[in-house]
Amino acid sequence: MKNIIHWLIALSLLLTACAAEDQPRPNGEMTAVVKRVVDGDTFEIASGEKVRMIGVDTPETVKPNHPVEPYGKEASNFSKKLLTGQTVTLKFDVEPRDRYGRLLAYVYMADGTFVNEKLVRDGYARIMTIPPNVAYADLFLEAERDAREHNRGLWGLSDSRNPSKEGKNAEENNEAKQAESAQETPPPGKPIKGNINAKGEKIYHVPGSPNYERTKAEVWFATEEEAKAAGFRPPKR
């Protein structure tokens, strides 16, 4: 009887240890089955948790009170076809969850395909770098430049559907829109705005600087040192 009890205790400890190893932790990884795809950059796994892919931002399709953005359906359909029902590896960076409780991960297919990078390189997503999860920021930036140069996906849309390809006059008209969207409230303790321009240059703006109010923040930083560490530079003027 004692042997059986000892065996059950050992089995219980082993199962607990195995379960702990498959939990999200900084710089760790876990395997999961994709239950359904929410949109281009977000999906739900078999456990019921939602996963937001790090470093990428596909056009909106399901945001409440927000219209479907150009190339949003294409990005969503691509992710659904690629990921639904697949067993994937989720690799975490410094912060494994966002403020909404979603898992933040780099996603790999069984054949080694790096899904985050593929979305950017094939033109289904723009880059969105949010410290401290910046391990592949340079790779994503290079992938976006490649997609732009070859007019892939959303970069190949006509000017009327893709604001990023509009001419000088349209860009000037968009400044008002950018100024309006730039009024969003910064995260607590992170007042510095990081922006990536059309040339792929990563520039940060501190409160009070000439272009601060009109700049749309793609990334927020607490200090200039943090911005520089992420590869951003101050404006030239």
Side-chain angles (χ1 to χ4, degrees), residues 21-41:
E21 289 178 357
D22 208 30
Q23 292 300 307
R25 62 186 185 279
N27 301 309
E29 64 179 68
M30 62 183 285
T31 57
V33 176
V34 179
K35 180 180 179 181
R36 70 181 182 95
V37 172
V38 178
D39 65 7
D41 52 37

Side-chain angles (χ1 to χ4, degrees), residues 127-138:
I127 59 175
M128 184 175 70
T129 303
I130 302 178
N133 294 342
V134 298
Y136 294 101
D138 289 340

Side-chain angles (χ1 to χ4, degrees), residues 32-52:
V33 176
V34 179
K35 180 180 179 181
R36 70 181 182 95
V37 172
V38 178
D39 65 7
D41 52 37
T42 306
F43 57 89
E44 182 181 337
I45 57 178
S47 66
E49 291 201 272
K50 288 185 178 179
V51 178
R52 178 64 166 80

Side-chain angles (χ1 to χ4, degrees), residues 74-102:
E74 290 87 342
S76 181
N77 290 337
F78 176 80
S79 292
K80 287 178 181 178
K81 184 177 180 180
L82 181 68
L83 294 170
T84 304
Q86 298 296 313
T87 298
V88 297
T89 298
L90 307 179
K91 295 188 177 183
F92 307 109
D93 208 320
V94 178
E95 291 182 350
R97 293 184 186 276
D98 65 11
R99 59 179 177 172
Y100 304 108
R102 298 177 301 184

